[in-house]
Amino acid sequence: IRAANGGSSRSYVAQQWAVRRLTPTECERLQGFPDGWTATPDAKGKIQADGPRYKQLGNSMAVPVIAWVGRRIVAAAQ
């Protein structure tokens, strides 16, 4: 389920009678990254909050898609 409000877009998951936001780990898995890929330390050495992790994932490209594009480029060049 995709929802948008005020120009921003967030991912949500429907459960029985409620809707919850996807966790950063779930977003990493959907993008093809390993668990904890965006769980990097901030300037103070603490693991980043969820907001910056969502931003990193939103600015990235899905690994399986990029791998497919790369294979197609190689196939077309041959």
Side-chain angles (χ1 to χ4, degrees), residues 40-66:
T40 56
D42 63 9
K44 296 180 182 178
K46 292 183 178 179
I47 296 298
Q48 290 184 13
D50 288 351
R53 293 180 70 187
Y54 286 119
K55 186 172 183 177
Q56 289 176 30
L57 291 162
N59 289 333
S60 66
M61 296 182 189
V63 175
V65 173
I66 298 304

Side-chain angles (χ1 to χ4, degrees), residues 9-64:
S9 182
R10 296 184 177 168
S11 299
Y12 294 88
V13 175
Q15 292 182 331
Q16 184 113 9
W17 297 104
V19 175
R20 69 171 179 85
R21 190 172 183 178
L22 293 173
T23 66
T25 301
E26 291 171 328
C27 292
E28 289 168 343
R29 290 175 181 169
L30 289 170
Q31 290 278 74
F33 295 111
D35 291 359
W37 185 255
T38 59
T40 56
D42 63 9
K44 296 180 182 178
K46 292 183 178 179
I47 296 298
Q48 290 184 13
D50 288 351
R53 293 180 70 187
Y54 286 119
K55 186 172 183 177
Q56 289 176 30
L57 291 162
N59 289 333
S60 66
M61 296 182 189
V63 175

